[in-house]
């Protein structure tokens, strides 16, 4: 998740220690891991990047691991992001160079940082390090396996250490770190970093999430009481069941989360229709109209199903995630008979980060279900928990649908059409 700092990353004239808060600087003491917990935009990414930069240039670190939820997250946030390693070089200082073919970052003095993904713990077999930066471990796919494999590789130098920057969630790994010796913990909130954030962002995010459980996590950096980070509750979903939707909706879309393979063991193709209407008390009310998710079908079949659903619902467009195919997804939908607009969206945040604003809408009563969608609701209840099996394809389609509708109403441009 990219911290939304706007001036901190660009103002490199002053040494970071003169502008940083205490919670952004490495704690004193003989720690093995520094767990830096914080809300959105709290400056976690900058803190991790500055620790790595200082270690590579002045602290004797020569072999560093950069571990993120995905390789895309490592590149876009930890390396090239606004607070990433390639953006924080001081005036007159040559920044490190990223060698994409080798997935590594090289400083002029020879220090090297390699990129790794939590999706592939085995890639950490073999390499050895004297330092590591782990970002957004709460969103790691195989968190414990990845972290344990990293620990086996932290075996160089006098005292190899790891910095862990993340929004707190009650995942097994974070609970383990909180209870271990040798782990220094710091906490920060979004408001702590307000001097380096857009006032409009602060106002919007507090209006949207303030007073909700998700706000306590995403803004205040608190742990929620929900076990294993489950954010949709059964009571919340029961409250959404409102029966027949209004006869006229402002907009209707069909969201598609396409699978990367076919067959019985493949991920499902998430297909969700949703609409929006003006709420009686002001604002917008979102309606989940149908879950038509398909399992194990070929691209031709799910594309035809998406088009049929969109036509039957009177949708204005089809929205499809483009991470797994890009223009190929558009081509498949066109071949399935789609003659309406197709909006491709790209997932640049983790699944939980994308879902958080939608969960807050549910908590505020801004989402209604036109009936009971048993399989979708069961997946929502399992989302983020240790009991979650496979990919949450129905939830992904739901999140894309509501987020895209919200974007269209002018509330928050959080999805970028490609």
């Amino acid at each position: 998740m990219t911290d939304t700092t706007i001036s901190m990353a660009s103002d490199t004239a002053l040494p970071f220690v003169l502008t940083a808060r205490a919670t952004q600087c490495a704690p004193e003491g003989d720690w093995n891991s520094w767990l830096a917990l914080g809300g959105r935009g709290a400056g976690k990414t900058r803190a991790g990047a500055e620790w790595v930069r200082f270690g590579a240039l002045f602290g004797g670190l020569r072999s560093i691991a950069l571990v993120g939820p995905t390789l895309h997250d490592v590149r876009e946030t930890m390396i090239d992001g606004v607070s990433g390693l390639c953006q924080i070089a001081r005036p007159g200082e040559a920044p490190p160079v990223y060698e994409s073919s080798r997935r590594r970052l090289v400083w002029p003095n020879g220090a090297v940082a390699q990129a790794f993904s939590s999706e592939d713990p085995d890639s950490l077999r073999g390499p050895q390090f004297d330092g590591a930066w782990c970002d957004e471990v709460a969103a790691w796919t195989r968190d414990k396996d990845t972290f344990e494999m990293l620990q086996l590789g932290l075996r160089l130098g006098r005292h190899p250490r790891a910095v862990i920057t993340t929004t707190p969630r009650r995942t097994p790994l974070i609970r383990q770190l909180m209870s271990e010796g040798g782990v220094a913990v710091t906490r920060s909130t979004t408001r702590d970093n307000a001097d380096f954030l857009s006032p409009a962002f602060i106002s919007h995010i507090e209006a949207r999430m303030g007073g909700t459980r998700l706000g306590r996590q995403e803004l205040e950096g608190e742990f929620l009481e929900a076990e294993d980070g489950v954010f949709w509750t059964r009571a919340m979903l029961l409250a959404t069941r409102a029966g027949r939707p209004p006869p006229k909706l402002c907009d209707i879309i069909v969201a598609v989360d396409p699978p990367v393979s076919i067959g019985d063991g493949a991920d499902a193709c998430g297909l969700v229709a949703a609409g929006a209407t003006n709420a009686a008390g002001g604002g917008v009310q979102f309606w989940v109209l149908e879950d038509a998710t398909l399992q194990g079908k070929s691209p031709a079949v799910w594309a035809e199903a998406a088009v049929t659903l969109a036509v039957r619902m009177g949708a204005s467009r089809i929205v499809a995630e483009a991470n797994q195919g890009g223009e190929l997804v558009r081509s498949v939908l066109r071949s399935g008979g789609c003659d309406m607009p197709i909006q491709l969206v790209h997932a640049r945040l983790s699944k939980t980060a994308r879902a958080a604003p939608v969960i807050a809408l549910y908590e505020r009563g801004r989402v209604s279900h036109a009936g009971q969608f048993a399989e979708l609701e069961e997946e929502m209840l399992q989302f983020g928990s240790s009991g979650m099996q496979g990919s949450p394809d129905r939830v992904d389609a739901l999140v894309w649908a509501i987020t895209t509708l919200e974007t269209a109403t002018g509330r928050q441009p959080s999805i970028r059409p490609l």
Side-chain angles (χ1 to χ4, degrees):
M1 301 176 194
T2 304
D3 284 354
T4 49
T5 49
I6 53 175
S7 59
M8 178 177 282
S10 59
D11 183 9
T12 55
L14 292 174
F16 179 68
V17 293
L18 297 183
T19 60
R21 305 185 313 276
T23 53
Q24 290 181 293
C25 299
E28 297 181 358
D30 192 31
W31 49 269
N32 297 319
S33 297
W34 167 24
L35 180 59
L37 303 174
R40 299 284 188 92
K44 305 182 299 296
T45 298
R46 186 64 188 275
E50 288 288 348
W51 184 87
V52 171
R53 172 191 169 273
F54 183 88
L57 295 180
F58 311 110
L61 296 185
R62 310 302 294 168
S63 180
I64 307 160
L66 304 177
V67 191
T70 67
L71 288 173
H72 178 81
D73 293 321
V74 175
R75 180 71 185 270
E76 296 300 317
T77 300
M78 303 171 73
I79 294 174
D80 289 335
V82 67
S83 298
L85 289 162
C86 285
Q87 303 298 323
I88 62 172
R90 307 299 189 260
E93 174 186 310
V97 175
Y98 185 67
E99 299 176 353
S100 58
S101 62
R102 302 183 67 180
R103 295 197 320 235
R104 70 176 197 170
L105 197 64
V106 182
W107 278 265
N109 68 357
V112 174
Q114 295 174 259
F116 298 93
S117 164
S118 72
E119 297 175 322
D120 185 14
D122 285 342
S123 65
L124 286 159
R125 290 182 183 273
Q128 50 188 355
F129 316 101
D130 48 19
W133 173 20
C134 307
D135 192 45
E136 290 300 349
V137 299
W140 281 12
T141 303
R142 300 176 61 185
D143 55 356
K144 280 199 167 185
D145 290 344
T146 302
F147 195 75
E148 290 303 323
M149 199 63 67
L150 174 64
Q151 297 306 297
L152 294 174
L154 280 169
R155 54 180 185 259
L156 296 181
R158 185 184 62 84
H159 190 177
R161 289 175 161 182
V163 171
I164 305 157
T165 54
T166 186
T167 303
R169 288 181 56 225
R170 286 189 178 275
T171 64
L173 176 57
I174 293 183
R175 289 203 302 263
Q176 172 187 317
L177 291 169
M178 294 288 289
S179 64
E180 282 186 354
V183 178
V185 180
T186 59
R187 301 174 185 271
S188 54
T189 70
T190 300
R191 173 89 33 202
D192 291 339
N193 204 39
D195 289 345
F196 301 100
L197 297 171
S198 162
F201 168 78
I202 294 288
S203 298
H204 173 82
I205 205 71
E206 287 187 344
R208 186 175 188 177
M209 289 189 176
T212 68
R213 293 181 307 124
L214 261 295
R216 287 167 52 201
Q217 172 184 280
E218 301 295 328
L219 305 181
E220 303 302 321
E222 293 182 20
F223 283 108
L224 299 185
E225 293 301 321
E227 178 64 16
D228 289 328
V230 180
F231 301 134
W232 275 293
T233 65
R234 196 167 297 279
M236 193 187 300
L237 295 183
L238 286 173
T240 67
R241 295 176 189 168
R244 189 181 299 274
K248 289 189 177 181
L249 296 170
C250 302
D251 193 10
I252 298 173
I253 65 172
V254 167
V256 182
D257 180 53
V260 296
S261 58
I262 60 176
D264 292 339
D267 292 339
C269 176
L271 285 176
V272 171
T277 187
N278 295 324
V284 179
Q285 187 72 20
F286 303 96
W287 282 82
V288 179
L289 304 173
E290 187 167 329
D291 171 27
T293 297
L294 295 172
Q295 174 71 50
K297 302 300 183 182
S298 69
V301 172
W302 61 250
E304 183 178 351
V307 174
T308 300
L309 178 63
V311 172
R312 177 161 56 82
M313 288 291 173
S316 64
R317 61 202 181 282
I318 292 178
V319 175
E321 182 175 317
N323 287 47
Q324 308 291 350
E327 287 299 323
L328 179 60
V329 175
R330 189 193 302 273
S331 176
V332 169
L333 288 168
R334 290 296 185 210
S335 66
C338 182
D339 57 3
M340 65 182 64
I342 298 172
Q343 180 179 346
L344 299 183
V345 288
H346 195 282
R348 297 196 295 174
L349 299 176
S350 69
K351 293 179 185 294
T352 52
R354 296 198 306 271
V358 176
I359 296 168
L361 288 173
Y362 271 85
E363 191 171 0
R364 290 182 179 276
R366 289 293 186 177
V367 183
S368 299
H369 286 195
Q372 180 178 352
F373 307 116
E375 292 176 299
L376 171 61
E377 292 177 9
E378 186 60 32
E379 193 171 278
M380 294 166 75
L381 292 172
Q382 293 184 20
F383 183 76
S385 75
S386 57
M388 184 74 210
Q389 299 294 321
S391 177
D393 308 293
R394 298 172 192 273
V395 169
D396 284 346
L398 168 76
V399 168
W400 284 124
I402 294 179
T403 307
T404 307
L405 284 168
E406 190 184 29
T407 300
T409 62
R411 291 173 58 86
Q412 171 65 16
S414 54
I415 293 182
R416 177 174 61 88
L418 297 178

